[in-house]
Amino acid sequence: MAQLPFTEIPVTTDDSFEFEYAILDPSLFETPCEISGVIKFGRFFMPSLYGIIFLTGLLGNLLVIVTYICYVKLKTITDIYMMNLAIADMIFLCTLPFWAVDGYTDWIFGPFMCKIMNGLYTINFYSCMLTLACVSVNRYNFIVQSTKMLKSKTKMVHSKLVCTGIWVLAIILTLPEFILSEAYTGIPDRIICTMVYPPNSDIIKVGVHVTQMVVGFLIPFVTMIICYTFIAKTLLHAKGRQKSKSLKIIIAVVIVFIICELPFNIVLLMQTLEIMSEESMSCEYRVNVDYAIIVTEGIAYVHCCLNPILYVFLGVKFRNNFLKILKDAGCISQKQLAKYLKTEYETSQQKSGISETTSLHPL
């Protein structure tokens, strides 16, 4: 899962790498700092990392979407959430090539695409994070409450309404990006795509930052911690060997979320406190924050690549359907597929000591 484009970047004054620092707020351009190292680092780091994330994330999420469309057919509530998560990640990833080009050169796509890319970026960011929260609640209902949901038409309709509500809320929260995003020449020879706030609008900037931290991190994080804590307690009291793998999945999901999302939100909090502070921060502080933003934001983007692995690929159902895709593509024979499915069935029978309501794998 990923974050908003960083709001503070360095700006060039010529091609000889004599740089001035300028926060992307025209009212603050009078605060210059030497930051050529940040520019050079960003021009290498951002396109390289964004390209890797785009290719690997696109492959993983596209595989999830193809599997659900062609084989699974969205038969359960979990299927709906996983499909929604993959679509959000996919659209989000498709904005990364634009930001990779922007990081290497300038914004060359015009003012209209600036608004569209910023908007799409943020919509799918919010949608992804809120969907992760819903997935944890869904798993809590299935495992802790032992809710029978696999063929419940009422709950299927409810989950579709929840996903629709997530997208509507994400669009509403993204209105500032659509309205305030601009592409302009803030410094000679440097075209910038960013949100341009009206003069004396610190409250709006703080509101945008706080909304991102609360909706895009705090709410999903707290929801996951609460739900997965109860799930872990339930699994610890369950019998059978399958619970061990389920607990490992839970731990991996939480750890990955913290590692990917927490660092950037700490830096975002630092920025928010700087906006609220009446004292001007030193150049050294701003340079360090710029480095931190570039690195932690890239780490946050990695979440999009890991979501398919953590939430889909580890499941037995997905592995079976993936083998069917390989068979249809001619990579394996029908005999090999049947042999694997038979082995998988026999293994599941041997591990039947743990009931379906205490296993994460159907999820």
Side-chain angles (χ1 to χ4, degrees), residues 263-310:
F264 182 81
N265 280 274
I266 292 175
V267 178
L268 190 62
L269 178 61
M270 293 169 60
Q271 280 191 323
T272 305
L273 295 176
E274 180 182 353
I275 294 172
M276 298 172 63
S277 174
E278 296 180 358
E279 298 181 1
S280 178
M281 300 299 177
S282 66
C283 284
E284 181 181 3
Y285 177 87
R286 291 177 177 173
V287 169
N288 290 333
V289 168
D290 272 347
Y291 276 115
I293 289 173
I294 293 174
V295 174
T296 58
E297 192 173 42
I299 294 173
Y301 294 160
V302 175
H303 209 174
C304 293
C305 305
L306 299 178
N307 280 337
I309 299 174
L310 292 171

Side-chain angles (χ1 to χ4, degrees), residues 241 342-354:
R241 291 173 293 177
K342 180 180 178 181
T343 303
E344 190 69 48
Y345 174 77
E346 292 174 349
T347 302
S348 65
Q349 290 296 102
Q350 294 174 359
K351 295 181 178 181
S352 58
I354 181 170

Side-chain angles (χ1 to χ4, degrees), residues 128-312:
C128 177
M129 303 307 288
L130 292 173
T131 300
L132 291 179
C134 290
V135 168
S136 62
V137 174
N138 179 55
R139 286 180 166 179
Y140 169 83
N141 289 332
F142 186 79
I143 298 172
V144 178
Q145 301 296 329
S146 300
T147 305
K148 301 299 182 180
M149 63 178 75
L150 294 179
K151 295 183 180 180
S152 173
K153 293 183 179 180
T154 301
K155 290 178 180 177
M156 288 285 287
V157 172
H158 178 264
S159 64
K160 292 178 181 179
L161 291 176
V162 169
C163 288
T164 302
I166 287 174
W167 285 99
V168 171
L169 178 59
I171 292 173
I172 293 174
L173 295 176
T174 307
L175 289 179
E177 276 73 16
F178 283 116
I179 296 172
L180 300 177
S181 293
E182 297 289 346
Y184 65 94
T185 305
I187 295 294
D189 301 324
R190 179 69 178 179
I191 301 176
I192 303 166
C193 172
T194 187
M195 294 178 67
V196 180
Y197 296 92
N200 303 317
S201 59
D202 286 352
I203 189 172
I204 298 178
K205 287 185 283 187
V206 171
V208 171
H209 282 202
V210 171
T211 299
Q212 180 181 351
M213 288 186 288
V214 172
V215 179
F217 175 76
L218 188 59
I219 291 177
F221 177 68
V222 172
T223 303
M224 291 172 66
I225 291 297
I226 294 174
C227 291
Y228 286 135
T229 298
F230 283 106
I231 290 172
K233 289 182 178 180
T234 300
L235 293 176
L236 287 172
H237 290 88
K239 297 181 180 180
R241 291 173 293 177
Q242 196 78 348
K243 70 175 183 180
S244 175
K245 187 173 183 179
S246 296
L247 287 170
K248 290 178 181 178
I249 293 174
I250 290 175
I251 295 172
V253 166
V254 175
I255 290 178
V256 167
F257 185 89
I258 293 174
I259 292 176
C260 289
E261 303 298 340
L262 181 59
F264 182 81
N265 280 274
I266 292 175
V267 178
L268 190 62
L269 178 61
M270 293 169 60
Q271 280 191 323
T272 305
L273 295 176
E274 180 182 353
I275 294 172
M276 298 172 63
S277 174
E278 296 180 358
E279 298 181 1
S280 178
M281 300 299 177
S282 66
C283 284
E284 181 181 3
Y285 177 87
R286 291 177 177 173
V287 169
N288 290 333
V289 168
D290 272 347
Y291 276 115
I293 289 173
I294 293 174
V295 174
T296 58
E297 192 173 42
I299 294 173
Y301 294 160
V302 175
H303 209 174
C304 293
C305 305
L306 299 178
N307 280 337
I309 299 174
L310 292 171
Y311 290 92
V312 182

Side-chain angles (χ1 to χ4, degrees), residues 73-88:
K73 305 298 183 182
L74 303 181
K75 297 176 182 178
T76 70
I77 294 176
T78 299
D79 295 339
I80 294 175
Y81 285 134
M82 293 300 101
M83 185 69 167
N84 194 72
L85 180 62
I87 292 174

Side-chain angles (χ1 to χ4, degrees), residues 9-13 19-22 24 29 35 39 186-187 190 192:
I9 65 171
V11 181
T12 63
T13 57
F19 295 97
E20 287 186 333
Y21 171 87
L24 291 185
F29 278 166
I35 195 165
I39 283 287
I187 295 294
R190 179 69 178 179
I192 303 166

